[in-house]
Amino acid sequence: MMSSYDIWADQVREKIRDKISWVSEKNKDKIPYTTDKDGNYDDRSDLEKVWNMDDGLNWWTNGFWGGVMWLLYHDTGDDRYAGIARTSEYKMERCFDTYYGLHHDVGFMFQPTAVADYRLTGNARSRKTALHAASLLAGRFNPAGDFIRAWNDVEGQDTKGWAIIDCMFNISLLYWASEETGDSRFRNIAMRHADTVMEHFIRPDGSVKHIVEFDHETGEEVRSYGGQGYKEGSSWTRGQGWAVYGFMISYIHTGKQEYLDIARKVADYCVASIPDNGIIPIDFRQPSEPAYEDSCGACVIAGGLLELAKTVPESEGSNYRRMAVKILKTIDESRADWSRNCDAIVQNCSGAYHDTLSHHITMTYADYFFIEAIYKICGTDFFVW
């Protein structure tokens, strides 16, 4: 017998199928990130902008459009989605030739595209692409501090010692590469980075730092930064999601109990901080006004809670599942556009607290994590990470 959760999720899945069917056809040659004032997707696949770290073909979210297509392909069996996904995947291969602008987010770019393609179809070209990306990511590992360097230097800012919580997702590419090739060095790098994050990023109360700077020569921690959250010492909600879900990814691939324990710890902090209305702020410790939201962070947290719920005892897991559904229902009922007036589904996403231009916009990866989470509840997902 279907539960009320299942019935609701199945209804949302039908709305997703309807929406993505026409959105994908309209944007089949694009790699979108956000929508304009008229609700139309932009296009980040311009090769002329490949050198720009902040725009163009190497934009860090470019893998999520293909990821959405692979989720729909797996759900529906429609080959049209595979074709659209490969359009973006093959375009992004050109980033390897230019090299500049590629950083730790090659995991976000090629895990939901090339790895997903290879897992679902056995495409040999995708396997090669994903292994190339994994090798680049492994090359960013600094053994002095056991961390993967995040961004490249930009505008004179030295970031050689910077690591960020987001990379807990990127290292899934290293786990895949190790499992695919039998080469343990990829897995070892991923675990050493995860261990560093466990030690330096997670506070005793389960809140998470966004950026930690290490001395790149000695590996000593220098300081932390507020990053995209409200301030240093606060709790950027999307970062909380990267941590919950990210440590679950590491636990799934390694079975290391400490990773599960940390995922629980961060999840419990999130559950205790989620507002009664289910609307997730940019930062759990931001002022009450202005009431900035981040629906994208909400979807990432929900996905992590659902993965955690599968692993822990039912008495504990039911609470994580209930909170995930609360978040997702809030999105469905009040923060989603199911019409044809906007290409994106999830609304009111925010890039960073102090970047006023990125408040309450749409983001392709919010749609990805929303769809993925709904498919988890329906039991029609496949584990991308």
PDB file of all heavy atoms in Angstrom, residues 173-196:
ATOM      1  N   LEU A 173      33.692  11.717  -7.770  1.00  0.00           N
ATOM      2  CA  LEU A 173      34.350  11.363  -9.031  1.00  0.00           C
ATOM      3  C   LEU A 173      35.582  10.504  -8.779  1.00  0.00           C
ATOM      4  O   LEU A 173      35.895   9.593  -9.564  1.00  0.00           O
ATOM      5  CB  LEU A 173      34.742  12.647  -9.773  1.00  0.00           C
ATOM      6  CG  LEU A 173      35.374  12.500 -11.151  1.00  0.00           C
ATOM      7  CD1 LEU A 173      34.422  11.833 -12.134  1.00  0.00           C
ATOM      8  CD2 LEU A 173      35.811  13.873 -11.687  1.00  0.00           C
ATOM      9  N   LEU A 174      36.284  10.759  -7.675  1.00  0.00           N
ATOM     10  CA  LEU A 174      37.474   9.973  -7.340  1.00  0.00           C
ATOM     11  C   LEU A 174      37.078   8.572  -6.873  1.00  0.00           C
ATOM     12  O   LEU A 174      37.752   7.593  -7.209  1.00  0.00           O
ATOM     13  CB  LEU A 174      38.280  10.686  -6.258  1.00  0.00           C
ATOM     14  CG  LEU A 174      38.797  12.077  -6.625  1.00  0.00           C
ATOM     15  CD1 LEU A 174      39.579  12.681  -5.466  1.00  0.00           C
ATOM     16  CD2 LEU A 174      39.678  12.023  -7.873  1.00  0.00           C
ATOM     17  N   TYR A 175      36.015   8.474  -6.090  1.00  0.00           N
ATOM     18  CA  TYR A 175      35.545   7.146  -5.685  1.00  0.00           C
ATOM     19  C   TYR A 175      35.161   6.318  -6.918  1.00  0.00           C
ATOM     20  O   TYR A 175      35.511   5.133  -7.015  1.00  0.00           O
ATOM     21  CB  TYR A 175      34.338   7.266  -4.748  1.00  0.00           C
ATOM     22  CG  TYR A 175      34.659   7.808  -3.375  1.00  0.00           C
ATOM     23  CD1 TYR A 175      33.958   8.900  -2.864  1.00  0.00           C
ATOM     24  CD2 TYR A 175      35.640   7.231  -2.579  1.00  0.00           C
ATOM     25  CE1 TYR A 175      34.235   9.398  -1.603  1.00  0.00           C
ATOM     26  CE2 TYR A 175      35.923   7.722  -1.317  1.00  0.00           C
ATOM     27  CZ  TYR A 175      35.217   8.813  -0.830  1.00  0.00           C
ATOM     28  OH  TYR A 175      35.500   9.309   0.426  1.00  0.00           O
ATOM     29  N   TRP A 176      34.447   6.946  -7.840  1.00  0.00           N
ATOM     30  CA  TRP A 176      34.069   6.223  -9.060  1.00  0.00           C
ATOM     31  C   TRP A 176      35.302   5.767  -9.827  1.00  0.00           C
ATOM     32  O   TRP A 176      35.379   4.610 -10.269  1.00  0.00           O
ATOM     33  CB  TRP A 176      33.200   7.105  -9.963  1.00  0.00           C
ATOM     34  CG  TRP A 176      33.025   6.476 -11.313  1.00  0.00           C
ATOM     35  CD1 TRP A 176      32.138   5.507 -11.655  1.00  0.00           C
ATOM     36  CD2 TRP A 176      33.810   6.733 -12.483  1.00  0.00           C
ATOM     37  NE1 TRP A 176      32.324   5.134 -12.973  1.00  0.00           N
ATOM     38  CE2 TRP A 176      33.336   5.874 -13.501  1.00  0.00           C
ATOM     39  CE3 TRP A 176      34.863   7.614 -12.770  1.00  0.00           C
ATOM     40  CZ2 TRP A 176      33.879   5.869 -14.790  1.00  0.00           C
ATOM     41  CZ3 TRP A 176      35.407   7.608 -14.043  1.00  0.00           C
ATOM     42  CH2 TRP A 176      34.915   6.744 -15.039  1.00  0.00           C
ATOM     43  N   ALA A 177      36.278   6.655  -9.992  1.00  0.00           N
ATOM     44  CA  ALA A 177      37.473   6.320 -10.763  1.00  0.00           C
ATOM     45  C   ALA A 177      38.229   5.159 -10.125  1.00  0.00           C
ATOM     46  O   ALA A 177      38.744   4.275 -10.820  1.00  0.00           O
ATOM     47  CB  ALA A 177      38.388   7.547 -10.886  1.00  0.00           C
ATOM     48  N   SER A 178      38.284   5.143  -8.802  1.00  0.00           N
ATOM     49  CA  SER A 178      38.969   4.060  -8.110  1.00  0.00           C
ATOM     50  C   SER A 178      38.237   2.738  -8.303  1.00  0.00           C
ATOM     51  O   SER A 178      38.852   1.694  -8.575  1.00  0.00           O
ATOM     52  CB  SER A 178      39.082   4.392  -6.621  1.00  0.00           C
ATOM     53  OG  SER A 178      39.930   3.490  -5.953  1.00  0.00           O
ATOM     54  N   GLU A 179      36.935   2.780  -8.190  1.00  0.00           N
ATOM     55  CA  GLU A 179      36.136   1.564  -8.363  1.00  0.00           C
ATOM     56  C   GLU A 179      36.172   1.074  -9.807  1.00  0.00           C
ATOM     57  O   GLU A 179      36.188  -0.137 -10.067  1.00  0.00           O
ATOM     58  CB  GLU A 179      34.697   1.843  -7.929  1.00  0.00           C
ATOM     59  CG  GLU A 179      34.539   2.065  -6.432  1.00  0.00           C
ATOM     60  CD  GLU A 179      33.317   2.881  -6.048  1.00  0.00           C
ATOM     61  OE1 GLU A 179      32.491   3.169  -6.929  1.00  0.00           O
ATOM     62  OE2 GLU A 179      33.199   3.233  -4.856  1.00  0.00           O
ATOM     63  N   GLU A 180      36.222   2.005 -10.740  1.00  0.00           N
ATOM     64  CA  GLU A 180      36.214   1.653 -12.160  1.00  0.00           C
ATOM     65  C   GLU A 180      37.542   1.062 -12.611  1.00  0.00           C
ATOM     66  O   GLU A 180      37.579   0.130 -13.410  1.00  0.00           O
ATOM     67  CB  GLU A 180      35.879   2.899 -13.000  1.00  0.00           C
ATOM     68  CG  GLU A 180      35.868   2.678 -14.495  1.00  0.00           C
ATOM     69  CD  GLU A 180      34.833   1.672 -14.958  1.00  0.00           C
ATOM     70  OE1 GLU A 180      33.813   1.484 -14.265  1.00  0.00           O
ATOM     71  OE2 GLU A 180      35.038   1.072 -16.024  1.00  0.00           O
ATOM     72  N   THR A 181      38.648   1.604 -12.091  1.00  0.00           N
ATOM     73  CA  THR A 181      39.973   1.191 -12.559  1.00  0.00           C
ATOM     74  C   THR A 181      40.683   0.229 -11.616  1.00  0.00           C
ATOM     75  O   THR A 181      41.666  -0.407 -12.006  1.00  0.00           O
ATOM     76  CB  THR A 181      40.877   2.420 -12.752  1.00  0.00           C
ATOM     77  OG1 THR A 181      41.085   3.044 -11.473  1.00  0.00           O
ATOM     78  CG2 THR A 181      40.249   3.419 -13.714  1.00  0.00           C
ATOM     79  N   GLY A 182      40.218   0.143 -10.362  1.00  0.00           N
ATOM     80  CA  GLY A 182      40.929  -0.651  -9.373  1.00  0.00           C
ATOM     81  C   GLY A 182      42.153   0.049  -8.820  1.00  0.00           C
ATOM     82  O   GLY A 182      42.952  -0.559  -8.096  1.00  0.00           O
ATOM     83  N   ASP A 183      42.320   1.327  -9.144  1.00  0.00           N
ATOM     84  CA  ASP A 183      43.476   2.111  -8.706  1.00  0.00           C
ATOM     85  C   ASP A 183      43.127   2.812  -7.394  1.00  0.00           C
ATOM     86  O   ASP A 183      42.316   3.740  -7.373  1.00  0.00           O
ATOM     87  CB  ASP A 183      43.836   3.130  -9.792  1.00  0.00           C
ATOM     88  CG  ASP A 183      45.152   3.842  -9.519  1.00  0.00           C
ATOM     89  OD1 ASP A 183      45.578   3.887  -8.348  1.00  0.00           O
ATOM     90  OD2 ASP A 183      45.756   4.358 -10.476  1.00  0.00           O
ATOM     91  N   SER A 184      43.733   2.391  -6.307  1.00  0.00           N
ATOM     92  CA  SER A 184      43.358   2.880  -4.976  1.00  0.00           C
ATOM     93  C   SER A 184      43.770   4.316  -4.716  1.00  0.00           C
ATOM     94  O   SER A 184      43.286   4.933  -3.763  1.00  0.00           O
ATOM     95  CB  SER A 184      43.978   1.982  -3.901  1.00  0.00           C
ATOM     96  OG  SER A 184      45.395   2.015  -3.981  1.00  0.00           O
ATOM     97  N   ARG A 185      44.661   4.882  -5.551  1.00  0.00           N
ATOM     98  CA  ARG A 185      45.129   6.243  -5.252  1.00  0.00           C
ATOM     99  C   ARG A 185      43.981   7.250  -5.305  1.00  0.00           C
ATOM    100  O   ARG A 185      43.950   8.206  -4.522  1.00  0.00           O
ATOM    101  CB  ARG A 185      46.254   6.652  -6.200  1.00  0.00           C
ATOM    102  CG  ARG A 185      45.872   6.765  -7.645  1.00  0.00           C
ATOM    103  CD  ARG A 185      47.078   6.829  -8.588  1.00  0.00           C
ATOM    104  NE  ARG A 185      46.653   6.686  -9.965  1.00  0.00           N
ATOM    105  CZ  ARG A 185      46.536   7.719 -10.814  1.00  0.00           C
ATOM    106  NH1 ARG A 185      46.809   8.930 -10.401  1.00  0.00           N
ATOM    107  NH2 ARG A 185      46.155   7.510 -12.057  1.00  0.00           N
ATOM    108  N   PHE A 186      43.016   7.051  -6.206  1.00  0.00           N
ATOM    109  CA  PHE A 186      41.878   7.968  -6.276  1.00  0.00           C
ATOM    110  C   PHE A 186      41.076   7.916  -4.973  1.00  0.00           C
ATOM    111  O   PHE A 186      40.709   8.947  -4.400  1.00  0.00           O
ATOM    112  CB  PHE A 186      40.969   7.594  -7.456  1.00  0.00           C
ATOM    113  CG  PHE A 186      41.590   7.809  -8.812  1.00  0.00           C
ATOM    114  CD1 PHE A 186      41.959   6.730  -9.600  1.00  0.00           C
ATOM    115  CD2 PHE A 186      41.792   9.085  -9.306  1.00  0.00           C
ATOM    116  CE1 PHE A 186      42.521   6.917 -10.850  1.00  0.00           C
ATOM    117  CE2 PHE A 186      42.355   9.285 -10.564  1.00  0.00           C
ATOM    118  CZ  PHE A 186      42.711   8.187 -11.339  1.00  0.00           C
ATOM    119  N   ARG A 187      40.792   6.709  -4.515  1.00  0.00           N
ATOM    120  CA  ARG A 187      40.033   6.544  -3.276  1.00  0.00           C
ATOM    121  C   ARG A 187      40.799   7.099  -2.080  1.00  0.00           C
ATOM    122  O   ARG A 187      40.207   7.743  -1.196  1.00  0.00           O
ATOM    123  CB  ARG A 187      39.734   5.058  -3.074  1.00  0.00           C
ATOM    124  CG  ARG A 187      38.926   4.713  -1.824  1.00  0.00           C
ATOM    125  CD  ARG A 187      38.652   3.208  -1.819  1.00  0.00           C
ATOM    126  NE  ARG A 187      37.816   2.797  -0.699  1.00  0.00           N
ATOM    127  CZ  ARG A 187      38.296   2.388   0.473  1.00  0.00           C
ATOM    128  NH1 ARG A 187      39.607   2.369   0.679  1.00  0.00           N
ATOM    129  NH2 ARG A 187      37.471   2.009   1.434  1.00  0.00           N
ATOM    130  N   ASN A 188      42.106   6.871  -2.043  1.00  0.00           N
ATOM    131  CA  ASN A 188      42.910   7.358  -0.927  1.00  0.00           C
ATOM    132  C   ASN A 188      42.884   8.879  -0.856  1.00  0.00           C
ATOM    133  O   ASN A 188      42.789   9.467   0.235  1.00  0.00           O
ATOM    134  CB  ASN A 188      44.348   6.859  -1.064  1.00  0.00           C
ATOM    135  CG  ASN A 188      44.472   5.375  -0.792  1.00  0.00           C
ATOM    136  OD1 ASN A 188      43.628   4.782  -0.120  1.00  0.00           O
ATOM    137  ND2 ASN A 188      45.517   4.745  -1.318  1.00  0.00           N
ATOM    138  N   ILE A 189      42.977   9.529  -1.998  1.00  0.00           N
ATOM    139  CA  ILE A 189      42.921  10.993  -2.021  1.00  0.00           C
ATOM    140  C   ILE A 189      41.566  11.473  -1.523  1.00  0.00           C
ATOM    141  O   ILE A 189      41.469  12.405  -0.710  1.00  0.00           O
ATOM    142  CB  ILE A 189      43.209  11.526  -3.443  1.00  0.00           C
ATOM    143  CG1 ILE A 189      44.686  11.334  -3.781  1.00  0.00           C
ATOM    144  CG2 ILE A 189      42.816  12.999  -3.569  1.00  0.00           C
ATOM    145  CD1 ILE A 189      45.032  11.642  -5.228  1.00  0.00           C
ATOM    146  N   ALA A 190      40.504  10.848  -2.002  1.00  0.00           N
ATOM    147  CA  ALA A 190      39.157  11.240  -1.579  1.00  0.00           C
ATOM    148  C   ALA A 190      38.997  11.101  -0.071  1.00  0.00           C
ATOM    149  O   ALA A 190      38.455  11.997   0.599  1.00  0.00           O
ATOM    150  CB  ALA A 190      38.120  10.390  -2.302  1.00  0.00           C
ATOM    151  N   MET A 191      39.451   9.995   0.483  1.00  0.00           N
ATOM    152  CA  MET A 191      39.288   9.763   1.915  1.00  0.00           C
ATOM    153  C   MET A 191      40.162  10.688   2.742  1.00  0.00           C
ATOM    154  O   MET A 191      39.734  11.166   3.808  1.00  0.00           O
ATOM    155  CB  MET A 191      39.598   8.299   2.242  1.00  0.00           C
ATOM    156  CG  MET A 191      38.578   7.326   1.681  1.00  0.00           C
ATOM    157  SD  MET A 191      38.866   5.615   2.205  1.00  0.00           S
ATOM    158  CE  MET A 191      38.421   5.705   3.944  1.00  0.00           C
ATOM    159  N   ARG A 192      41.358  10.959   2.283  1.00  0.00           N
ATOM    160  CA  ARG A 192      42.227  11.872   3.036  1.00  0.00           C
ATOM    161  C   ARG A 192      41.629  13.278   3.050  1.00  0.00           C
ATOM    162  O   ARG A 192      41.685  13.984   4.065  1.00  0.00           O
ATOM    163  CB  ARG A 192      43.641  11.856   2.461  1.00  0.00           C
ATOM    164  CG  ARG A 192      44.375  10.560   2.797  1.00  0.00           C
ATOM    165  CD  ARG A 192      45.678  10.402   2.039  1.00  0.00           C
ATOM    166  NE  ARG A 192      46.696  11.359   2.456  1.00  0.00           N
ATOM    167  CZ  ARG A 192      47.939  11.377   1.974  1.00  0.00           C
ATOM    168  NH1 ARG A 192      48.295  10.484   1.057  1.00  0.00           N
ATOM    169  NH2 ARG A 192      48.806  12.268   2.393  1.00  0.00           N
ATOM    170  N   HIS A 193      41.032  13.681   1.929  1.00  0.00           N
ATOM    171  CA  HIS A 193      40.353  14.982   1.914  1.00  0.00           C
ATOM    172  C   HIS A 193      39.151  14.961   2.858  1.00  0.00           C
ATOM    173  O   HIS A 193      38.953  15.905   3.639  1.00  0.00           O
ATOM    174  CB  HIS A 193      39.896  15.325   0.489  1.00  0.00           C
ATOM    175  CG  HIS A 193      39.137  16.615   0.414  1.00  0.00           C
ATOM    176  ND1 HIS A 193      39.760  17.845   0.332  1.00  0.00           N
ATOM    177  CD2 HIS A 193      37.798  16.867   0.443  1.00  0.00           C
ATOM    178  CE1 HIS A 193      38.847  18.796   0.310  1.00  0.00           C
ATOM    179  NE2 HIS A 193      37.647  18.232   0.373  1.00  0.00           N
ATOM    180  N   ALA A 194      38.351  13.905   2.804  1.00  0.00           N
ATOM    181  CA  ALA A 194      37.168  13.807   3.673  1.00  0.00           C
ATOM    182  C   ALA A 194      37.581  13.831   5.144  1.00  0.00           C
ATOM    183  O   ALA A 194      36.902  14.443   5.985  1.00  0.00           O
ATOM    184  CB  ALA A 194      36.389  12.539   3.353  1.00  0.00           C
ATOM    185  N   ASP A 195      38.678  13.167   5.477  1.00  0.00           N
ATOM    186  CA  ASP A 195      39.159  13.165   6.865  1.00  0.00           C
ATOM    187  C   ASP A 195      39.563  14.569   7.307  1.00  0.00           C
ATOM    188  O   ASP A 195      39.317  14.973   8.454  1.00  0.00           O
ATOM    189  CB  ASP A 195      40.347  12.216   7.013  1.00  0.00           C
ATOM    190  CG  ASP A 195      39.953  10.749   6.874  1.00  0.00           C
ATOM    191  OD1 ASP A 195      38.745  10.452   6.914  1.00  0.00           O
ATOM    192  OD2 ASP A 195      40.869   9.910   6.712  1.00  0.00           O
ATOM    193  N   THR A 196      40.185  15.328   6.397  1.00  0.00           N
ATOM    194  CA  THR A 196      40.565  16.705   6.708  1.00  0.00           C
ATOM    195  C   THR A 196      39.336  17.562   6.937  1.00  0.00           C
ATOM    196  O   THR A 196      39.283  18.373   7.873  1.00  0.00           O
ATOM    197  CB  THR A 196      41.425  17.289   5.569  1.00  0.00           C
ATOM    198  OG1 THR A 196      42.646  16.560   5.484  1.00  0.00           O
ATOM    199  CG2 THR A 196      41.741  18.763   5.809  1.00  0.00           C
TER     200      THR A 196
END
